[in-house]
């Protein structure tokens, strides 16, 4: 192999930058970073006919590769992280599901260590502060009102690594909890909610900035009771999460969100559970049994959708080929927007020089061919 292993020029591809797509572009990698110029002995990889896009950033993910971020051992969590990296997700937040407060605090301690060593980008607490009316795949017996003192307990247990809490902000303590999170720079996300339009507006004004998997686990849009969906779509301060797996959303709902929010306010997520990248079978999501059949996860009791088996390379492929969303808009939604929300856009989320060499190579049909994270191949494209 010619050239230094840590000096590589990826040449000839369509490179998607914040300013647009560069035909016959190149990305230069030196060690773990993208740089502006190549060393004389740099290795050149010919990527003609391919795309180079930033590594994907998933801000809502419960597991994969047969492993749960809520209950798995450290090694199992690392297996889940590795599975998603192989599908292009180079930056990942671990999401928990509803559990006992002491258990969630203990899990926060485990996951925070993985954040501190650079394997995760943070922790997202989805539950227990959600509505029993819109609980989805969360155990109703363990749900509770969003008491600011308990929210603070989990923040403290996470040792500064908590990035987001999903709250039913209409419940007692909801607005106060939003204010607490906003004051500490933690995302308050509205989700698993039975809020009215007016209650949702109040939560946004208090500091909420994200809609947890818009459309799912919330009242539907109605002409006399517009509910949370209308409030979340219309407000420029809100970024809406979308699960583009073909199960959680009809393509028309995805199009509606992109039309009203625009690409700069959409974050494509997986909401993945253990079966992502692993296969059908029986699983546990927190204390609840889940059956995965034909790639769709549902609770054994009640048949509610229980997360997804989605990986972000599939979400990208669907968005471009089925939903016909422009590639630049998809890149913004799957990389740049979540990176900004998580406060890591200075390091990841685009292919600008100085940032981590986190990137994904796709062929002309938008099928994943290569993944690089911090200058190291996770999936070697074996090209050039």
């Amino acid at each position: 192999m010619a050239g230094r292993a840590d000096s590589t020029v990826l040449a000839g591809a369509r490179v998607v930058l914040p300013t647009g797509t560069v035909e016959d572009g190149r990305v230069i990698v030196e060690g773990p970073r993208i740089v502006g110029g190549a060393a004389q002995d740099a290795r050149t990889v010919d990527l003609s006919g391919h795309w180079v896009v930033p590594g994907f950033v998933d801000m809502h993910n419960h597991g994969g590769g047969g492993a749960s971020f809520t209950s798995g051992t450290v090694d199992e969590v690392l297996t889940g992280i590795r599975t998603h990296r192989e599908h292009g997700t180079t930056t990942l937040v671990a999401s928990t599901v509803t559990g006992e407060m002491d258990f969630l605090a203990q899990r926060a301690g485990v996951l925070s260590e993985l954040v501190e060593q650079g394997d995760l980008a943070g922790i997202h607490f989805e539950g227990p502060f959600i509505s029993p009316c819109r609980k989805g795949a969360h155990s109703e017996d363990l749900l509770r009102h969003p008491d600011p003192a308990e929210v603070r307990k989990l923040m403290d247990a996470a040792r500064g690594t908590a990035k987001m809490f999903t709250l039913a902000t209409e419940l007692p303590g909801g607005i106060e909890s939003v204010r607490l999170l906003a004051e500490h720079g933690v995302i308050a996300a509205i989700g698993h909610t039975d809020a009215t339009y007016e209650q949702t507006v109040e939560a946004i004004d208090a500091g909420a900035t994200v809609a947890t998997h818009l459309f799912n686990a919330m009242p539907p849009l109605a002409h006399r009771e517009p509910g949370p969906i209308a409030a979340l779509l219309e407000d420029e301060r809100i970024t809406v999460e979308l699960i583009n797996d073909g199960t959680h959303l009809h393509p028309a709902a995805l199009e509606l969100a992109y039309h009203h929010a625009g690409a700069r306010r959409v974050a494509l997520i997986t909401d993945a559970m253990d079966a992502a990248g692993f296969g059908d079978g029986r699983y546990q999501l927190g204390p609840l049994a889940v059956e995965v059949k034909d790639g769709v996860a549902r609770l054994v009791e009640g048949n509610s959708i229980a997360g997804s088996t989605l990986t972000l390379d599939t979400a990208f492929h669907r968005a471009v080929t089925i939903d016909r969303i422009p590639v630049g808009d998809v890149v913004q939604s799957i990389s740049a927007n979540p990176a900004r929300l998580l406060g890591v856009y200075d390091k990841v989320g685009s292919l600008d020089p100085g940032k981590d060499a986190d990137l994904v190579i796709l062929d002309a049909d938008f099928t994943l061919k290569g993944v690089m994270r911090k200058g190291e191949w996770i999936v070697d494209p074996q090209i050039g």
Side-chain angles (χ1 to χ4, degrees), residues 5-82:
D6 64 346
S7 185
T8 304
V9 179
L10 307 177
R14 291 178 172 176
V15 178
V16 182
L17 301 173
T19 52
T21 298
V22 178
E23 302 286 341
D24 193 20
R26 65 181 195 163
V27 178
I28 304 167
V29 176
E30 188 77 36
R33 303 275 184 268
I34 298 169
V35 297
Q40 286 187 346
D41 58 350
R43 176 195 175 209
T44 296
V45 179
D46 183 4
L47 292 177
S48 299
H50 291 73
W51 294 80
V52 179
V53 301
F56 308 145
V57 180
D58 193 353
M59 56 189 281
H60 187 156
N61 187 315
H62 298 277
S68 167
F69 296 152
T70 299
S71 58
T73 64
V74 169
D75 284 345
E76 287 169 341
V77 173
L78 289 170
T79 295
I81 293 168
R82 185 166 54 251

Side-chain angles (χ1 to χ4, degrees), residues 277-308:
F278 200 67
D280 290 356
R282 281 285 183 109
Y283 297 87
Q284 287 292 126
L285 189 60
L288 303 178
V290 175
E291 179 77 28
V292 178
K293 184 177 180 181
D294 298 326
V296 178
R298 294 187 179 275
L299 291 182
V300 172
E301 303 257 345
N303 207 39
S304 291
I305 295 176
S308 83

Side-chain angles (χ1 to χ4, degrees), residues 22 94 99 204 235 278 287 336 357 376:
V22 178
I204 297 170
D235 199 298
F278 200 67
E376 296 185 3

Side-chain angles (χ1 to χ4, degrees), residues 56 81-90 276-278 310-314 360 362 368 370-371 378-379:
F56 308 145
I81 293 168
R82 185 166 54 251
T83 297
H84 285 283
R85 284 181 185 168
E86 290 168 354
H87 290 273
T89 298
T90 51
F278 200 67
L310 184 64
T311 52
L312 281 182
D313 58 330
T314 298
V360 174
L362 306 166
L368 185 144
V371 180
I378 304 297
V379 177

Side-chain angles (χ1 to χ4, degrees), residues 267-343:
L268 293 176
I269 62 161
T270 61
D271 193 20
M273 47 79 73
D274 313 17
F278 200 67
D280 290 356
R282 281 285 183 109
Y283 297 87
Q284 287 292 126
L285 189 60
L288 303 178
V290 175
E291 179 77 28
V292 178
K293 184 177 180 181
D294 298 326
V296 178
R298 294 187 179 275
L299 291 182
V300 172
E301 303 257 345
N303 207 39
S304 291
I305 295 176
S308 83
T309 61
L310 184 64
T311 52
L312 281 182
D313 58 330
T314 298
F316 192 111
H317 188 272
R318 283 187 58 88
V320 175
T321 63
I322 295 175
D323 304 305
R324 304 297 180 184
I325 299 169
V327 175
D329 288 353
V330 178
V331 168
Q332 191 171 8
S333 302
I334 210 166
S335 299
N337 295 345
R340 285 194 185 95
L341 283 166
L342 297 172

Side-chain angles (χ1 to χ4, degrees), residues 27-372:
V27 178
I28 304 167
V29 176
E30 188 77 36
R33 303 275 184 268
I34 298 169
V35 297
Q40 286 187 346
D41 58 350
R43 176 195 175 209
T44 296
V45 179
D46 183 4
L47 292 177
S48 299
H50 291 73
W51 294 80
V52 179
V53 301
F56 308 145
V57 180
D58 193 353
M59 56 189 281
H60 187 156
N61 187 315
H62 298 277
S68 167
F69 296 152
T70 299
S71 58
T73 64
V74 169
D75 284 345
E76 287 169 341
V77 173
L78 289 170
T79 295
I81 293 168
R82 185 166 54 251
T83 297
H84 285 283
R85 284 181 185 168
E86 290 168 354
H87 290 273
T89 298
T90 51
T91 301
L92 185 148
V93 169
S95 302
T96 62
V97 296
T98 294
E100 297 282 1
M101 285 294 297
D102 287 344
F103 173 76
L104 291 174
Q106 182 270 333
R107 288 305 296 176
V110 171
L111 295 172
S112 66
E113 292 183 10
L114 294 174
V115 178
E116 289 161 0
Q117 68 188 39
D119 291 298
L120 291 170
I123 303 170
H124 163 218
F125 294 97
E126 187 180 24
F129 310 117
I130 60 176
S131 171
C133 303
R134 304 286 173 177
K135 65 183 184 297
H138 291 256
S139 176
E140 185 168 355
D141 294 342
L142 298 175
L143 300 183
R144 52 211 301 133
H145 292 162
D147 180 349
E150 293 192 323
V151 171
R152 184 60 186 261
K153 175 181 178 177
L154 294 182
M155 287 173 58
D156 290 344
R159 302 199 303 266
T161 67
K163 288 290 187 179
M164 183 164 68
F165 281 72
T166 291
L167 309 170
T169 54
E170 75 278 10
L171 295 176
I175 297 300
E176 293 81 4
S177 295
V178 169
R179 292 195 181 107
L180 172 69
L181 292 168
E183 287 169 5
H184 286 82
V186 179
I187 297 167
I190 300 171
H192 287 276
T193 177
D194 204 38
T196 63
Y197 174 89
E198 292 76 15
Q199 288 170 327
T200 306
V201 169
E202 182 184 10
I204 297 170
D205 287 340
T209 55
V210 166
T212 293
H213 44 53
L214 187 73
F215 299 109
N216 297 113
M218 60 182 63
L221 184 67
H223 63 296
R224 279 193 285 269
E225 295 181 2
I229 293 173
L232 294 164
L233 279 176
E234 73 183 10
D235 199 298
E236 292 291 316
R237 295 169 290 183
I238 292 292
T239 298
V240 298
E241 294 183 345
L242 299 175
I243 309 170
N244 191 24
D245 63 351
T247 298
H248 280 79
L249 296 176
H250 189 282
L254 188 89
E255 182 181 1
L256 178 72
Y258 265 95
H259 178 76
H260 284 278
R264 66 185 180 82
R265 288 181 47 221
V266 171
L268 293 176
I269 62 161
T270 61
D271 193 20
M273 47 79 73
D274 313 17
F278 200 67
D280 290 356
R282 281 285 183 109
Y283 297 87
Q284 287 292 126
L285 189 60
L288 303 178
V290 175
E291 179 77 28
V292 178
K293 184 177 180 181
D294 298 326
V296 178
R298 294 187 179 275
L299 291 182
V300 172
E301 303 257 345
N303 207 39
S304 291
I305 295 176
S308 83
T309 61
L310 184 64
T311 52
L312 281 182
D313 58 330
T314 298
F316 192 111
H317 188 272
R318 283 187 58 88
V320 175
T321 63
I322 295 175
D323 304 305
R324 304 297 180 184
I325 299 169
V327 175
D329 288 353
V330 178
V331 168
Q332 191 171 8
S333 302
I334 210 166
S335 299
N337 295 345
R340 285 194 185 95
L341 283 166
L342 297 172
V344 294
Y345 189 66
D346 60 325
K347 297 178 181 177
V348 300
S350 74
L351 298 175
D352 293 313
K355 293 194 176 185
D356 291 349
D358 289 5
L359 55 88
V360 174
I361 297 170
L362 306 166
D363 67 14
D365 296 321
F366 299 99
T367 299
L368 185 144
K369 293 298 179 181
V371 180
M372 178 182 284

